[in-house]
Amino acid sequence: MNEVINVVKRGLFVGRFQPVHNGHLKALEFVFSQVDEVIIGIGSAQASHTLKNPFTTSERMEMLIRALDEANLNDKRYYLIPLPDINFNAIWATYVVSMVPRFDVVFTGNSLVAQLFREKGYEVIVQPMFRKDILSATEIRRRMVSGEPWEDLVPKSVAEFINEIKGVERIRMLATNLEKNEKELQAPIRIPEF
Amino acid sequence: MNEVINVVKRGLFVGRFQPVHNGHLKALEFVFSQVDEVIIGIGSAQASHTLKNPFTTSERMEMLIRALDEANLNDKRYYLIPLPDINFNAIWATYVVSMVPRFDVVFTGNSLVAQLFREKGYEVIVQPMFRKDILSATEIRRRMVSGEPWEDLVPKSVAEFINEIKGVERIRMLATNLEKNEKELQAPIRIPEF
Amino acid sequence: MNEVINVVKRGLFVGRFQPVHNGHLKALEFVFSQVDEVIIGIGSAQASHTLKNPFTTSERMEMLIRALDEANLNDKRYYLIPLPDINFNAIWATYVVSMVPRFDVVFTGNSLVAQLFREKGYEVIVQPMFRKDILSATEIRRRMVSGEPWEDLVPKSVAEFINEIKGVERIRMLATNLEKNEKELQAPIRIPEF
Amino acid sequence: MNEVINVVKRGLFVGRFQPVHNGHLKALEFVFSQVDEVIIGIGSAQASHTLKNPFTTSERMEMLIRALDEANLNDKRYYLIPLPDINFNAIWATYVVSMVPRFDVVFTGNSLVAQLFREKGYEVIVQPMFRKDILSATEIRRRMVSGEPWEDLVPKSVAEFINEIKGVERIRMLATNLEKNEKELQAPIRIPEF
Amino acid sequence: MNEVINVVKRGLFVGRFQPVHNGHLKALEFVFSQVDEVIIGIGSAQASHTLKNPFTTSERMEMLIRALDEANLNDKRYYLIPLPDINFNAIWATYVVSMVPRFDVVFTGNSLVAQLFREKGYEVIVQPMFRKDILSATEIRRRMVSGEPWEDLVPKSVAEFINEIKGVERIRMLATNLEKNEKELQAPIRIPEF
Amino acid sequence: MNEVINVVKRGLFVGRFQPVHNGHLKALEFVFSQVDEVIIGIGSAQASHTLKNPFTTSERMEMLIRALDEANLNDKRYYLIPLPDINFNAIWATYVVSMVPRFDVVFTGNSLVAQLFREKGYEVIVQPMFRKDILSATEIRRRMVSGEPWEDLVPKSVAEFINEIKGVERIRMLATNLEKNEKELQAPIRIPEF
């Protein structure tokens, strides 16, 4: 019995999902095809209500659940794990490992994530991103702010959820609110750099 | 489609699971019988390698996955969410809400958890615990330290996992190590209390 | 007696006050006219000695005390509450509520503050700002750095205090010191964003 | 004008106020008699809903406001400042100084507070406590838990407020809830101590 | 040239040093005899002014410098590294590794430190402690509080330094100050433990 | 004996050392010539694997050790102290003082460091930087990213070490990885600024 459990192969995939979009789905489809169970880490889990991180972790989980249901990726078991930032890259991979179920391989399109896990000896599979020019959360948030169409870049159920929670209004409010002075540099300690 | 998703009823259950035992299983069986999906919050997620919190969150998740498989509670969807302590009770319930999928009701046998969620307006169902005298993680850890039998108090798959990771040896090491001086009071700021 | 206390109406106003200026005073005059007691939250309370946040909380409190005395707004009771950043927007309003006396209404000219409190069910009154182009702390700090006149934009007692503590010299030092490299992006964890 | 403000003498008094009682009032009466304005620091401001710290900072502020009104100590200006713990004694006094208005003297009955401020060069006046055996928050919380009379040890308005918010029920719930296992030692890192 | 540097063998030794005593010196003599350079990690570096951690990191460094000079252990290079607690055992060893120069072996008499480093694959040499009954910092602090002789248990230069900084007075003050109520349990979040 | 120790004069020098370069060496040569022992504080010690802070504290310590050996500055005793950011400028100098051995004077080319220590009453010697246009870590990191020669700007042993750990590849990876969206403003709390 135990042996059967032990041979379950798990893959880890980390993203911010601000919001979930079709590029995430493409990537997740590949991950689901390679392993028995998928751990989805939700990065910057403490962040929300900013232009770069408009949605809460709770909302991002809801998007993932609906998108995976819509894509029929729910026949395999997956785990949704919030990962609040620790702002300490040298120990980040060890921190993630302590907070998620045991896994066998990391899937990522991000070279820093790849490097941080490789430095700790994990197998990493780098995925080329599909149509990264438009299938990026940044592009989607930009369209939301400027009033351009964005719905086709995300799963239908995610678009519906974002409309339910008035997500576009929230992002526009955040964009309006951001005054010039907020863009000034914050340089908290500023020790000498010769 | 979307409407169907919306009527899914979710329950939240929070524990430390140090380790998972038959009392947890009894309680979870009840929760699974009441809702469509179960959110299992793993408290003190940052803690491990102490007498009170010997196991990492990753290990506790493994115990939960195996125990729920063994109990055939895996036909309903469940979520495993690490909840690192924030040491700020007045905002704890709001913090939990932001870190887990939307839920409808809290199940707990702990009156503080009940109160913190009720103060924020959540429905809370208090569960009487079954044989709390022996079905407590404290009692199990005590038996592990003193060399008494403990295996019958936890699911079979959990006992196997604890043996795999040499969990009893770890707890005994922690008990040995704890010198008297460690038990002195730590009183970090100690402002006047007249 | 108690009943009288209970009918006291309190308003909350949150700002960074870097530094206190005539726009703040205009806004506070309105708040003082609407409620019995005013709670003034001092945001980013841990910040000082940066271009965006040059003054300590202690100094900002001193400015507020003097400005309110000068404006004869001291006949009503007010509270000065430091609010260190928590960098967790989803729980920020709950955090503020736990740290200040009970209040009835929030006054703000900032749409994010408005939204965060409304999401938690508080009454929020949005105030249009008076001459926001010049009556902004950003503009005042810019003038201080560039050597342009700024004194007319703040209460007389605040200008005196800033001169007492050599505040303009401090801001200029901070502006000089800020080397190009400090403006590089800090991207602490950088998880994948497809 | 400015000169007048500058000669205002301020005293700092720090307490946890769990809850406010007649001993606090006696001490505050003395402080109010010695200075022009009083800064009341509320220590362990992040703590609530524990046996040692049952009340939130917001509730403790309400108690102070009502008690000072009842004692007619409200003719002088006072400041209520939340002081979350930093668990770093060597910098605690400097931290407090940055978070409160400028002050001239510290009043305290606690020798650690006295020492930490004296080490940084502040004038400290040590107050002998009045009837410390019964006028202590610890004794009052003990009476609340055990069902003994406590109301006479606190100002009338504070007793009323505690009853309004069902404070005694909260403390009893906290006492009931505290299982034996919670009393085990937490020894987070435990580095060698030979 | 570079090759020569690379063959330098370094050992890591971690302690709290509250205060430095003859048992530490015995242990350090052994470590100095085994490696070319010694890294001395000062644990709980943020702690001071408590009964268990009376001295600041700065003071503990001064004790170490003087004791190593007195013992003529200063012919080999050593490093003094403050290690503030992170309260996250699962990542503690990785954290230490990122904060100290590269090392080859860990020396410790503490089985938890041994385990945490072994779990990350480091070589650990466990040292039996010499006369642990009296050569313990706990025993020395106990003697300081009760007025018994302690000077013979620490290096002469350390005793002189503690007297210089009035360390015994500080510990006695801390012992006096510790009221009964401070000894109550703090149970910050208290999630269910069945 | 003790008296001799007491007259040791120590200087504090704080830098980020990302990476160590010839300008640092010039500055350190001056510091070593002025005092008996040198404390080298390594700022932003928690940072690594970012464009601005590519190297871990452990790696930066290795660079310093090799560079000081190469420059024969190792005849005097020096201390390498990691200083994680606290993001609280008003208490930063006090924090540093608690974490390093007692010192007599601060050497810095950074006017903020100078001011923060002067505000706390320390003697500060400001050093003009030598050829700051090219001898800056920013310029060196820029050259590494763009493929221009940088080796002549750092000590030979540091260039060798950076090549050993494939430091240039790491920086280029970080530069590649940094997507546009990462440059968006993060404005975590954004309280009103009129």
Side-chain angles (χ1 to χ4, degrees):
Chain A
M1 189 66 164
N2 197 16
E3 307 81 52
V4 178
I5 292 168
N6 270 337
V7 296
V8 165
K9 186 173 183 187
R10 291 203 197 103
L12 170 68
F13 181 90
V14 181
R16 291 215 331 275
F17 306 107
Q18 292 281 13
V20 172
H21 57 67
N22 292 330
H24 292 126
L25 255 291
K26 282 264 181 213
L28 284 167
E29 273 167 17
F30 176 72
V31 177
F32 273 85
S33 75
Q34 300 296 305
V35 293
D36 299 310
E37 297 184 0
V38 179
I39 301 162
I40 303 176
I42 299 175
S44 295
Q46 83 294 343
S48 75
H49 295 85
T50 72
L51 254 191
K52 189 179 166 191
N53 290 296
F55 302 109
T56 69
T57 287
S58 185
E59 290 164 342
R60 292 180 263 167
M61 286 175 165
E62 202 68 37
M63 292 182 206
L64 282 162
I65 294 166
R66 296 187 183 200
L68 294 172
D69 278 347
E70 182 184 339
N72 293 314
L73 286 173
N74 50 12
D75 54 332
K76 284 190 178 171
R77 194 179 283 175
Y78 61 86
Y79 306 91
L80 302 178
I81 312 288
L83 295 171
D85 290 337
I86 57 167
N87 294 319
F88 199 147
N89 280 341
I91 62 179
W92 185 75
T94 304
Y95 156 72
V96 172
V97 168
S98 79
M99 283 294 180
V100 305
R102 173 197 57 73
F103 58 89
D104 302 281
V105 54
V106 178
F107 295 85
T108 183
N110 180 284
S111 52
L112 177 61
V113 170
Q115 170 138 345
L116 293 179
F117 276 109
R118 279 182 178 143
E119 285 186 5
K120 299 298 174 191
Y122 285 86
E123 185 192 354
V124 177
I125 295 177
V126 176
Q127 296 171 282
M129 285 303 112
F130 179 73
R131 293 299 319 273
K132 199 168 179 176
D133 50 340
I134 59 166
L135 283 182
S136 88
T138 310
E139 169 65 12
I140 291 165
R141 296 196 303 269
R142 192 195 62 70
R143 291 186 181 194
M144 286 173 166
V145 169
S146 68
E148 297 171 50
W150 55 273
E151 287 89 345
D152 286 355
L153 307 182
V154 308
K156 187 167 171 296
S157 59
V158 169
E160 284 170 1
F161 178 74
I162 289 174
N163 288 330
E164 267 175 48
I165 63 169
K166 299 189 197 306
V168 176
E169 285 86 329
R170 191 192 297 170
I171 288 183
R172 279 189 198 150
M173 176 275 291
L174 295 167
T176 316
N177 201 44
L178 221 60
E179 303 163 53
K180 274 196 189 57
N181 56 289
E182 300 290 342
K183 285 174 187 150
E184 286 177 23
L185 178 67
Q186 263 192 315
I189 292 297
R190 250 148 335 136
I191 44 184
E193 171 85 314
F194 303 112
Chain B
M1 188 66 164
N2 196 16
E3 307 80 56
V4 178
I5 291 169
N6 270 336
V7 297
V8 166
K9 186 173 182 188
R10 292 203 195 103
L12 170 68
F13 181 92
V14 181
R16 291 216 330 278
F17 306 106
Q18 292 281 11
V20 172
H21 58 66
N22 291 332
H24 292 123
L25 255 290
K26 282 264 181 213
L28 284 167
E29 272 166 18
F30 177 71
V31 177
F32 273 85
S33 74
Q34 299 298 303
V35 292
D36 300 308
E37 299 185 0
V38 180
I39 301 162
I40 303 176
I42 299 175
S44 296
Q46 83 294 340
S48 75
H49 296 83
T50 73
L51 255 191
K52 190 178 165 190
N53 290 295
F55 302 109
T56 69
T57 288
S58 184
E59 291 164 343
R60 292 179 263 168
M61 286 176 166
E62 202 69 35
M63 292 181 207
L64 282 162
I65 293 167
R66 296 186 184 201
L68 294 172
D69 278 349
E70 182 184 340
N72 292 315
L73 286 173
N74 51 12
D75 54 332
K76 284 191 177 171
R77 193 179 283 174
Y78 62 84
Y79 306 91
L80 301 179
I81 312 288
L83 294 172
D85 289 337
I86 59 167
N87 294 319
F88 200 146
N89 279 341
I91 62 179
W92 185 73
T94 305
Y95 156 73
V96 172
V97 168
S98 80
M99 284 293 180
V100 305
R102 175 196 56 73
F103 59 90
D104 303 280
V105 54
V106 178
F107 296 85
T108 183
N110 180 285
S111 52
L112 177 60
V113 171
Q115 170 139 346
L116 294 179
F117 276 109
R118 279 183 179 142
E119 285 186 5
K120 299 297 175 192
Y122 285 86
E123 185 193 353
V124 177
I125 295 176
V126 175
Q127 297 171 280
M129 286 301 113
F130 180 74
R131 294 296 320 271
K132 200 168 179 176
D133 50 340
I134 58 165
L135 284 183
S136 88
T138 311
E139 169 65 12
I140 291 166
R141 296 196 304 269
R142 192 195 61 72
R143 293 186 180 196
M144 287 174 166
V145 169
S146 67
E148 297 170 50
W150 54 274
E151 287 89 345
D152 286 354
L153 307 182
V154 308
K156 186 166 173 295
S157 59
V158 170
E160 285 170 1
F161 177 74
I162 289 175
N163 288 330
E164 268 177 48
I165 64 169
K166 299 187 197 304
V168 177
E169 285 87 329
R170 192 191 295 170
I171 287 184
R172 281 192 197 147
M173 177 275 292
L174 295 167
T176 315
N177 201 45
L178 219 60
E179 305 162 52
K180 276 195 188 56
N181 58 288
E182 300 291 340
K183 283 174 187 148
E184 286 178 21
L185 178 65
Q186 262 192 315
I189 291 295
R190 252 153 328 139
I191 42 183
E193 171 86 314
F194 303 111
Chain C
M1 188 65 164
N2 197 17
E3 308 79 55
V4 178
I5 291 168
N6 270 337
V7 297
V8 165
K9 187 174 181 187
R10 292 202 196 104
L12 169 67
F13 182 92
V14 182
R16 292 215 331 276
F17 305 108
Q18 292 282 12
V20 172
H21 57 67
N22 292 332
H24 292 125
L25 254 290
K26 282 264 180 213
L28 283 167
E29 272 168 16
F30 177 72
V31 177
F32 273 85
S33 75
Q34 299 297 306
V35 292
D36 300 309
E37 299 185 359
V38 180
I39 302 162
I40 303 176
I42 299 175
S44 296
Q46 84 293 343
S48 74
H49 294 85
T50 72
L51 255 191
K52 188 178 165 192
N53 289 295
F55 302 109
T56 69
T57 288
S58 184
E59 290 165 343
R60 291 180 264 167
M61 285 174 165
E62 200 70 35
M63 291 181 206
L64 282 162
I65 294 166
R66 297 189 184 198
L68 293 171
D69 278 348
E70 182 184 340
N72 293 314
L73 286 173
N74 50 12
D75 54 333
K76 285 192 178 169
R77 194 181 284 176
Y78 63 86
Y79 306 92
L80 302 178
I81 312 287
L83 295 172
D85 288 337
I86 58 168
N87 293 319
F88 200 148
N89 279 341
I91 61 178
W92 185 73
T94 305
Y95 156 73
V96 172
V97 168
S98 80
M99 284 292 181
V100 305
R102 174 194 59 71
F103 58 90
D104 302 281
V105 54
V106 178
F107 295 85
T108 182
N110 180 285
S111 52
L112 177 60
V113 170
Q115 170 138 345
L116 292 178
F117 275 109
R118 278 180 179 146
E119 285 186 6
K120 299 297 175 194
Y122 285 86
E123 185 192 355
V124 177
I125 295 177
V126 176
Q127 297 171 282
M129 286 302 112
F130 181 73
R131 292 300 315 273
K132 199 168 179 175
D133 51 340
I134 59 166
L135 284 183
S136 88
T138 311
E139 169 66 12
I140 290 166
R141 296 196 304 269
R142 192 195 63 71
R143 292 187 182 195
M144 286 173 166
V145 169
S146 68
E148 297 170 51
W150 54 272
E151 287 87 345
D152 286 356
L153 307 182
V154 309
K156 187 167 172 293
S157 58
V158 170
E160 285 170 359
F161 177 73
I162 289 174
N163 287 331
E164 267 177 48
I165 63 169
K166 297 189 199 305
V168 177
E169 285 86 329
R170 191 192 296 172
I171 288 183
R172 280 188 196 151
M173 176 276 291
L174 295 167
T176 316
N177 201 46
L178 220 59
E179 303 163 54
K180 273 194 189 56
N181 58 289
E182 300 291 342
K183 283 175 188 150
E184 287 177 23
L185 178 66
Q186 264 193 314
I189 293 294
R190 248 152 331 141
I191 44 183
E193 171 86 316
F194 303 112
Chain D
M1 189 67 163
N2 197 16
E3 307 81 56
V4 178
I5 292 168
N6 271 337
V7 296
V8 166
K9 186 173 183 188
R10 291 202 197 104
L12 170 68
F13 181 91
V14 182
R16 291 215 333 277
F17 306 107
Q18 293 281 13
V20 172
H21 57 66
N22 292 331
H24 292 125
L25 255 291
K26 281 266 179 211
L28 283 167
E29 272 167 17
F30 177 72
V31 177
F32 273 86
S33 75
Q34 299 296 305
V35 293
D36 300 308
E37 299 185 0
V38 179
I39 301 163
I40 303 177
I42 299 175
S44 296
Q46 84 293 340
S48 74
H49 296 84
T50 74
L51 256 190
K52 190 178 166 191
N53 289 295
F55 302 108
T56 69
T57 288
S58 184
E59 291 165 342
R60 293 180 261 167
M61 285 174 165
E62 201 68 36
M63 292 180 207
L64 282 162
I65 293 166
R66 295 188 184 198
L68 294 171
D69 278 348
E70 182 184 338
N72 293 315
L73 285 173
N74 50 13
D75 54 332
K76 284 189 178 174
R77 193 181 284 177
Y78 62 87
Y79 306 92
L80 302 178
I81 311 287
L83 294 172
D85 290 336
I86 57 168
N87 294 318
F88 200 147
N89 279 341
I91 63 179
W92 185 73
T94 305
Y95 156 73
V96 172
V97 168
S98 79
M99 284 293 179
V100 305
R102 173 195 57 72
F103 58 89
D104 303 280
V105 54
V106 178
F107 295 85
T108 183
N110 180 285
S111 52
L112 177 60
V113 170
Q115 170 139 346
L116 293 179
F117 276 109
R118 279 181 179 143
E119 284 186 6
K120 299 297 173 192
Y122 285 86
E123 183 192 355
V124 177
I125 294 176
V126 176
Q127 295 171 281
M129 285 302 113
F130 179 74
R131 293 299 317 272
K132 199 168 181 176
D133 50 341
I134 57 164
L135 285 183
S136 88
T138 310
E139 169 65 12
I140 291 165
R141 296 196 304 268
R142 192 194 62 71
R143 293 186 179 195
M144 286 173 167
V145 170
S146 67
E148 297 170 52
W150 56 272
E151 287 88 345
D152 286 356
L153 307 182
V154 308
K156 187 167 172 295
S157 58
V158 170
E160 284 169 359
F161 178 73
I162 289 174
N163 288 330
E164 267 176 49
I165 62 169
K166 300 188 196 306
V168 176
E169 285 87 328
R170 192 192 295 172
I171 287 184
R172 280 188 198 153
M173 178 275 293
L174 295 167
T176 315
N177 200 46
L178 219 61
E179 305 162 51
K180 275 194 188 56
N181 58 289
E182 301 290 342
K183 283 174 186 151
E184 288 178 21
L185 178 66
Q186 262 192 316
I189 292 295
R190 255 153 326 142
I191 41 182
E193 171 84 316
F194 304 111
Chain E
M1 188 64 164
N2 198 15
E3 307 82 54
V4 178
I5 291 169
N6 271 336
V7 296
V8 166
K9 186 173 182 188
R10 292 202 196 105
L12 170 68
F13 181 92
V14 181
R16 291 214 332 276
F17 306 108
Q18 291 282 14
V20 172
H21 57 67
N22 292 332
H24 292 125
L25 255 290
K26 282 266 179 212
L28 283 167
E29 272 167 17
F30 177 72
V31 177
F32 273 86
S33 75
Q34 300 297 305
V35 292
D36 301 308
E37 298 185 0
V38 179
I39 301 163
I40 303 176
I42 299 174
S44 296
Q46 84 293 342
S48 74
H49 295 84
T50 73
L51 256 191
K52 189 178 166 192
N53 290 295
F55 303 108
T56 69
T57 288
S58 184
E59 290 165 343
R60 292 179 264 167
M61 286 175 164
E62 201 69 36
M63 292 181 207
L64 282 162
I65 294 166
R66 295 188 185 199
L68 293 171
D69 278 349
E70 182 184 338
N72 291 317
L73 285 174
N74 51 12
D75 54 332
K76 285 192 176 168
R77 193 180 285 176
Y78 62 87
Y79 306 92
L80 301 178
I81 311 287
L83 295 172
D85 289 336
I86 58 169
N87 293 319
F88 201 148
N89 279 341
I91 62 178
W92 185 74
T94 305
Y95 156 72
V96 172
V97 168
S98 80
M99 283 294 180
V100 305
R102 174 195 56 73
F103 58 89
D104 302 281
V105 54
V106 178
F107 296 84
T108 182
N110 179 285
S111 52
L112 177 60
V113 170
Q115 170 137 345
L116 293 179
F117 275 110
R118 278 181 179 144
E119 284 186 6
K120 299 296 175 194
Y122 285 86
E123 185 192 356
V124 177
I125 294 176
V126 175
Q127 296 171 281
M129 285 303 112
F130 181 73
R131 294 297 321 269
K132 199 169 178 174
D133 51 340
I134 58 165
L135 284 183
S136 88
T138 310
E139 169 65 13
I140 291 166
R141 296 196 303 270
R142 192 195 61 74
R143 292 186 180 195
M144 287 173 165
V145 169
S146 68
E148 297 170 51
W150 55 273
E151 287 87 345
D152 286 355
L153 307 182
V154 307
K156 187 166 172 296
S157 58
V158 169
E160 285 170 359
F161 178 73
I162 288 174
N163 288 330
E164 266 176 48
I165 63 169
K166 298 188 197 307
V168 176
E169 284 87 329
R170 191 191 298 172
I171 288 183
R172 279 189 198 152
M173 176 276 292
L174 295 167
T176 315
N177 200 44
L178 220 59
E179 304 163 52
K180 275 195 188 57
N181 59 290
E182 300 290 341
K183 282 172 188 151
E184 287 177 23
L185 178 66
Q186 262 192 317
I189 292 293
R190 253 156 323 146
I191 44 183
E193 171 86 316
F194 301 111
Chain F
M1 189 65 165
N2 198 14
E3 309 80 56
V4 178
I5 292 168
N6 270 336
V7 297
V8 165
K9 187 174 182 186
R10 292 203 196 103
L12 169 67
F13 182 92
V14 181
R16 290 215 334 275
F17 305 108
Q18 292 281 15
V20 171
H21 58 66
N22 292 331
H24 292 126
L25 254 291
K26 282 265 179 211
L28 284 166
E29 273 168 17
F30 176 72
V31 177
F32 273 86
S33 75
Q34 299 297 305
V35 292
D36 300 308
E37 298 184 0
V38 179
I39 301 163
I40 303 176
I42 299 176
S44 295
Q46 84 293 342
S48 75
H49 296 84
T50 72
L51 256 192
K52 189 178 165 191
N53 290 296
F55 303 109
T56 69
T57 288
S58 184
E59 290 165 342
R60 293 180 261 167
M61 285 175 165
E62 201 69 36
M63 292 181 205
L64 282 162
I65 293 166
R66 296 188 184 199
L68 294 171
D69 278 349
E70 182 184 339
N72 293 315
L73 285 173
N74 50 13
D75 53 333
K76 284 192 177 169
R77 192 179 285 176
Y78 63 86
Y79 306 92
L80 301 178
I81 311 288
L83 294 172
D85 289 337
I86 57 167
N87 293 319
F88 200 148
N89 280 340
I91 63 179
W92 185 74
T94 305
Y95 157 72
V96 172
V97 168
S98 79
M99 284 292 180
V100 305
R102 174 196 58 71
F103 60 89
D104 303 280
V105 54
V106 178
F107 294 85
T108 183
N110 180 285
S111 51
L112 177 61
V113 170
Q115 171 139 347
L116 292 179
F117 275 109
R118 279 180 178 145
E119 285 186 7
K120 300 297 175 193
Y122 285 87
E123 184 192 355
V124 177
I125 295 176
V126 176
Q127 296 171 282
M129 286 301 113
F130 181 73
R131 293 298 318 270
K132 199 168 179 175
D133 51 340
I134 59 165
L135 283 182
S136 88
T138 310
E139 169 66 12
I140 291 165
R141 294 195 305 269
R142 193 195 62 71
R143 291 186 182 196
M144 286 173 166
V145 169
S146 68
E148 297 171 51
W150 55 273
E151 288 88 346
D152 287 357
L153 308 183
V154 308
K156 187 167 170 296
S157 59
V158 169
E160 284 169 1
F161 177 74
I162 288 174
N163 288 330
E164 267 176 48
I165 63 168
K166 299 190 197 304
V168 176
E169 285 87 329
R170 190 192 295 172
I171 288 184
R172 279 187 198 154
M173 176 277 290
L174 295 168
T176 315
N177 201 44
L178 219 60
E179 305 162 50
K180 275 193 188 57
N181 58 290
E182 300 291 342
K183 282 173 186 151
E184 287 178 21
L185 178 66
Q186 266 192 313
I189 292 296
R190 250 151 332 141
I191 41 184
E193 171 86 315
F194 302 112

